[in-house]
Amino acid sequence: MEKFNLSTSRLNALIKHLMTRGIVYAPHKNGEVSFSFDEVRDPGKVILNYNRTLQSIKKYFLPPREQLLSFSLKSGSLSKVEPENPLRIFLGVHSYDMQAVLRLDYNFSQGNPELNYLKRRQNSLFIGVSFEPDTYHFSRSVGIMVEEFDGFDLFLDKHSSGYTLYVVTQAGEELLSGFDHLEEAPDRPATHREFRNKIKYNFNRLSEVFDHAWDSSVWEEIAQRCVGCGTCNLVCPTCYCFDVEDDVNLSLADGSRYRSWDGCMLNSFAKVAGGENFRADLSDRQRHRVYRKFKYITDVTGEPWCVGCGRCTAYCTAGISIVETVNRLCEEYEQTVLRKPLAKQDWVL
Amino acid sequence: MSNHIRTGIEEPDRKMLELYYPEIAEITRTKQITELEKWFEIALPGNRDLNHQPGQFVQVSLFGFGEAPISVTSSPTKRGVFELCVRKVGTLTTAMHKLKPGDRIGIRGPFGHGFDLQKMEGKDILIIGGGIGIVPLRSLINTVIDRRSDFGRFIILYGAKTPGELLFKDELKSWREDPTIEYHVTVDQGTPDWDGNVGVITTLIPRLDLNLGNTIAAVVGPPIMYKFVLMALKSKRLPDENIYLSLERRMKCGVGKCGHCQINHSYVCQDGPVYHYPVIKQLPEAIQ
């Protein structure tokens, strides 16, 4: 794999170059402590050294609210609404958010493939950046390294004196054409990056833990604290459930059908018109959310649908930690099923 | 200039654009059958067949109100038009009750899995319908009636809260009079002019004389009914693999994406609404 030195001082030049190739989105400071992905207008405002953005880049492929079709109530006619797909370059993406996009690709291309998502996703290029794990990140526990290149076209690995720019794909190489004076980078030892936040077992053991976790008391315990606000759904980069609703314009002559993000933690999520609510208890909803991340799709694909970004925990209004929840289930599994602690060498199947 | 850069995602198939896009259909006939339920006959453009299986559903669009999943009540043996029977329970269904012949609605579907007719051929068919559960079952019932020689004995159990809530009364009469149908009806609360059975639907099950190995049960009713009907069928020793049930859930997309209808790992709009009972036993959220 080709790699080049990129000094911090040349970063702005690179961003300017990218802006000539497509629309560039990158992390920006948003308030005192938050970061968000926004379109780059001033390369100087881009921040590559950040812990996490409140929303992942999911919002660009599955917008919080999007028009599915429009209708005229007078003539009864419908028109299709098709998303645009200009070339978009996502700069400064962390590996777990890239992995989340790859998981959404699966959800929207298997079964009934969805044009809205796939079309938006189509002309997108990704430039990753390494990060220093904070106390919420645990992506290594779900099999995602900081320097995981999968999905990226280019990758910026930060080291003490600048960045190493890895060229991962052909598209990444094409993206750099015209950006001159890059010098070949030397081989460097991998930077050691410690994740302080860890799931107790390797992720490939979690399926068997969840085989025994259905009746755990943990669900009821976290439900005692949970307020059912749905923030965990809102910030999760792999949550993609949605609601569909019609809006009629003030003229009452026409309107549109929209889909908007929904969350399985919200009380009405599984409620039917007759009033029956199939997941009325918070404990059932918590369990469903966590099973969605570690069991249901994972049993089919082999990969956890949780990418270890730490958002649901960092932003939880009730201080509920997904790592703590999973670790509690691992401990219960040891106590009630294995009846002994799993030896460290047995963690990996 | 840079649109030639190849990314991993290929040009999506144009057909995908149709995923959320309803077809405009015309209401051809309607009938108010009870205070709460209204029957609609609907024609797709060119009187094209809906091509559904009994037990499947369509997403009905009333523009400005949204979409709702509604079971098809006509049998696939009825050609050119199809029928829905809608209970007035929410804003969309209330608005739908105001529609007349000539009005237009949007239709997507049919979606999901219905009753497996191939598995039912040659078998005795036991229909157990509670309340508006009879609406999707009517699609199966009329299929069996229209292809009567393909099936064995035909037993229909139907329960409603009161005599006034019994649907399709003309057809109930013809089922009762049909010598090839063993039809039993019950109501939870009788009225002075009701001379039939009074009691919940499970009271009709113990007295049945079933050929257990050769009987397929199709059960549709409110969630509360399933547990008790399954217990009654179990005490009759009807094998679990001879039972099919239809589950109601909220469905917004109908195509396995929106997540609302999910029961454990299963999307009801894709794997259901009709499930084989052995599959349901693996889904702890299915029947509570």
Side-chain angles (χ1 to χ4, degrees):
Chain A
M1 191 181 294
E2 263 193 306
K3 56 184 186 305
F4 302 106
N5 278 327
L6 189 77
S7 63
T8 316
S9 59
R10 281 205 79 198
L11 204 55
N12 282 5
L14 175 66
I15 299 172
K16 277 197 184 111
H17 169 77
L18 296 172
M19 288 165 77
T20 67
R21 311 300 307 270
I23 308 169
V24 182
Y25 299 88
H28 291 72
K29 208 162 180 2
N30 193 344
E32 283 299 304
V33 291
S34 298
F35 299 95
S36 65
F37 267 91
D38 289 304
E39 188 182 334
V40 179
R41 311 219 175 253
D42 172 2
K45 294 250 165 72
V46 170
I47 298 203
L48 290 186
N49 178 23
Y50 69 105
N51 54 2
R52 65 179 57 69
T53 52
L54 182 61
Q55 288 291 343
S56 74
I57 51 175
K58 172 181 84 175
K59 64 183 180 181
Y60 294 107
F61 310 113
L62 184 69
R65 181 172 155 95
E66 78 178 289
Q67 199 182 12
L68 292 179
L69 52 94
S70 65
F71 50 81
S72 157
L73 291 172
K74 284 238 171 75
S75 68
S77 63
L78 291 185
S79 29
K80 294 175 179 155
V81 176
E82 197 175 333
E84 310 238 307
N85 60 349
L87 188 90
R88 297 192 289 187
I89 301 159
F90 296 90
L91 168 71
V93 177
H94 289 170
S95 55
Y96 51 80
D97 276 349
M98 187 68 243
Q99 287 292 314
V101 171
L102 298 181
R103 280 158 176 73
L104 291 176
D105 288 353
Y106 172 84
N107 295 126
F108 283 97
S109 58
Q110 58 86 44
N112 296 298
E114 195 205 276
L115 182 128
N116 297 55
Y117 175 89
L118 294 174
K119 183 108 192 182
R120 285 203 180 83
R121 178 66 181 78
Q122 201 186 7
N123 287 322
S124 307
L125 295 166
F126 300 92
I127 304 172
V129 71
S130 57
F131 62 96
E132 293 306 319
D134 70 5
T135 53
Y136 293 111
H137 291 115
F138 61 100
S139 50
R140 198 187 182 290
S141 293
V142 287
I144 302 167
M145 306 296 162
V146 171
E147 311 83 358
E148 174 66 62
F149 286 175
D150 194 16
F152 288 121
D153 297 290
L154 296 168
F155 192 89
L156 289 163
D157 192 10
K158 180 96 171 77
H159 53 73
S160 50
S161 56
Y163 293 94
T164 303
L165 173 62
Y166 289 87
V167 180
V168 186
T169 65
Q170 175 86 38
E173 192 180 321
E174 286 171 36
L175 203 50
L176 286 180
S177 83
F179 185 66
D180 298 328
H181 312 299
L182 280 171
E183 62 175 53
E184 195 79 17
D187 286 332
R188 287 175 170 276
T191 311
H192 176 73
R193 293 179 172 111
E194 174 76 19
F195 281 86
R196 284 158 287 172
N197 200 17
K198 290 177 191 145
I199 291 180
K200 198 168 149 71
Y201 289 177
N202 186 290
F203 67 91
N204 63 15
R205 298 297 303 231
L206 293 179
S207 180
E208 66 187 78
V209 172
F210 278 90
D211 276 337
H212 297 89
W214 188 258
D215 295 317
S216 168
S217 57
V218 168
W219 309 118
E220 193 47 56
E221 283 166 38
I222 53 177
Q224 296 288 327
R225 286 191 279 153
C226 177
V227 294
C229 66
T231 298
C232 47
N233 295 135
L234 188 69
V235 297
C236 178
T238 65
C239 270
Y240 62 94
C241 289
F242 57 84
D243 197 9
V244 182
E245 59 186 2
D246 286 5
D247 255 11
V248 178
N249 296 335
L250 280 175
S251 64
L252 298 181
D254 42 33
S256 295
R257 178 159 294 168
Y258 293 96
R259 72 125 156 245
S260 42
W261 292 355
D262 206 343
C264 62
M265 288 308 300
L266 300 173
N267 180 51
S268 61
F269 188 77
K271 199 170 177 180
V272 295
E276 187 92 27
N277 189 348
F278 292 99
R279 239 176 258 113
D281 294 340
L282 274 170
S283 56
D284 293 345
R285 301 209 288 278
Q286 277 285 0
R287 180 171 61 187
H288 182 69
R289 180 177 77 88
V290 178
Y291 268 71
R292 286 269 302 183
K293 300 302 162 196
F294 289 99
K295 181 72 182 160
Y296 296 148
I297 312 177
T298 307
D299 277 353
V300 179
T301 64
E303 286 178 347
W305 238 238
C306 169
V307 293
C309 67
R311 286 186 180 94
C312 60
T313 307
Y315 301 117
C316 178
T317 50
I320 295 167
S321 153
I322 191 148
V323 169
E324 242 172 70
T325 303
V326 174
N327 284 342
R328 284 280 311 281
L329 296 172
C330 291
E331 282 157 24
E332 278 193 4
Y333 177 66
E334 284 180 357
Q335 286 157 15
T336 60
V337 181
L338 298 177
R339 297 184 186 283
K340 62 173 174 40
L342 197 63
K344 196 159 184 173
Q345 63 269 26
D346 294 333
W347 281 11
V348 180
L349 273 180
Chain B
M1 79 175 183
S2 28
N3 275 330
H4 67 282
I5 294 183
R6 237 165 39 82
T7 56
I9 302 277
E10 310 222 328
E11 176 68 25
D13 189 330
R14 310 306 307 158
K15 276 189 302 195
M16 293 179 202
L17 195 53
E18 311 297 327
L19 200 60
Y20 301 123
Y21 193 75
E23 202 169 6
I24 302 294
E26 189 180 322
I27 294 172
T28 46
R29 290 195 289 161
T30 67
K31 189 182 177 188
Q32 191 74 43
I33 53 176
T34 68
E35 205 180 310
L36 280 179
E37 278 93 9
K38 188 165 174 169
W39 171 90
F40 298 87
E41 185 189 75
I42 294 156
L44 290 171
N47 284 76
R48 191 167 48 76
D49 287 332
L50 182 65
N51 272 325
H52 66 290
Q53 308 162 319
Q56 281 189 303
F57 69 98
V58 289
Q59 286 282 2
V60 174
S61 275
L62 259 71
F63 299 102
F65 293 93
E67 264 188 330
I70 311 276
S71 294
V72 181
T73 189
S74 54
S75 69
T77 50
K78 174 162 179 163
R79 312 293 300 269
V81 288
F82 66 96
E83 301 164 16
L84 303 175
C85 177
V86 179
R87 176 176 281 183
K88 192 160 67 171
V89 280
T91 45
L92 184 139
T93 48
T94 302
M96 196 171 169
H97 268 232
K98 295 182 182 138
L99 298 181
K100 314 171 293 298
D103 287 339
R104 283 151 188 266
I105 56 174
I107 296 288
R108 287 192 302 132
F111 292 124
H113 280 82
F115 291 100
D116 190 341
L117 289 171
Q118 276 182 340
K119 289 234 173 77
M120 294 180 157
E121 280 170 14
K123 300 281 168 56
D124 294 351
I125 306 300
L126 169 61
I127 302 279
I128 304 177
I132 50 170
I134 200 69
V135 170
L137 283 170
R138 179 174 167 261
S139 177
L140 177 62
I141 291 169
N142 285 332
T143 304
V144 175
I145 290 174
D146 286 342
R147 297 173 43 195
R148 192 64 195 86
S149 59
D150 293 341
F151 303 92
R153 276 173 68 194
F154 190 24
I155 309 162
I156 301 174
L157 310 183
Y158 177 25
K161 279 192 190 132
T162 62
E165 290 179 32
L166 291 168
L167 305 177
F168 311 113
K169 290 207 172 71
D170 296 346
E171 286 172 53
L172 303 186
K173 187 164 170 281
S174 73
W175 301 345
R176 183 179 298 116
E177 288 165 358
D178 187 332
T180 73
I181 301 176
E182 300 161 54
Y183 171 70
H184 306 281
V185 63
T186 183
V187 294
D188 297 353
Q189 291 154 358
T191 46
D193 57 343
W194 176 256
D195 58 359
N197 296 302
V198 175
V200 293
I201 192 156
T202 43
T203 58
L204 298 176
I205 296 173
R207 64 182 89 159
L208 293 174
D209 178 24
L210 300 175
N211 179 355
L212 293 175
N214 200 45
T215 301
I216 301 282
V219 188
V220 189
I224 183 80
M225 188 188 94
Y226 288 117
K227 202 161 51 173
F228 297 101
V229 164
L230 287 166
M231 271 159 50
L233 291 176
K234 229 178 234 315
S235 51
K236 282 305 266 191
R237 307 222 179 284
L238 185 71
D240 291 346
E241 57 267 28
N242 291 19
I243 304 173
Y244 291 83
L245 308 140
S246 179
L247 299 178
E248 182 195 15
R249 286 298 185 275
R250 186 169 173 206
M251 294 159 194
K252 297 298 281 197
C253 76
V255 292
K257 296 275 179 269
C258 81
H260 286 271
C261 70
Q262 208 179 356
I263 297 178
N264 298 100
H265 61 78
S266 180
Y267 281 83
V268 178
C269 72
Q270 300 293 291
D271 305 335
V274 176
Y275 284 88
H276 196 196
Y277 181 46
V279 173
I280 284 188
K281 285 198 295 182
Q282 304 301 314
L283 302 173
E285 287 187 317
I287 296 170
Q288 285 144 351

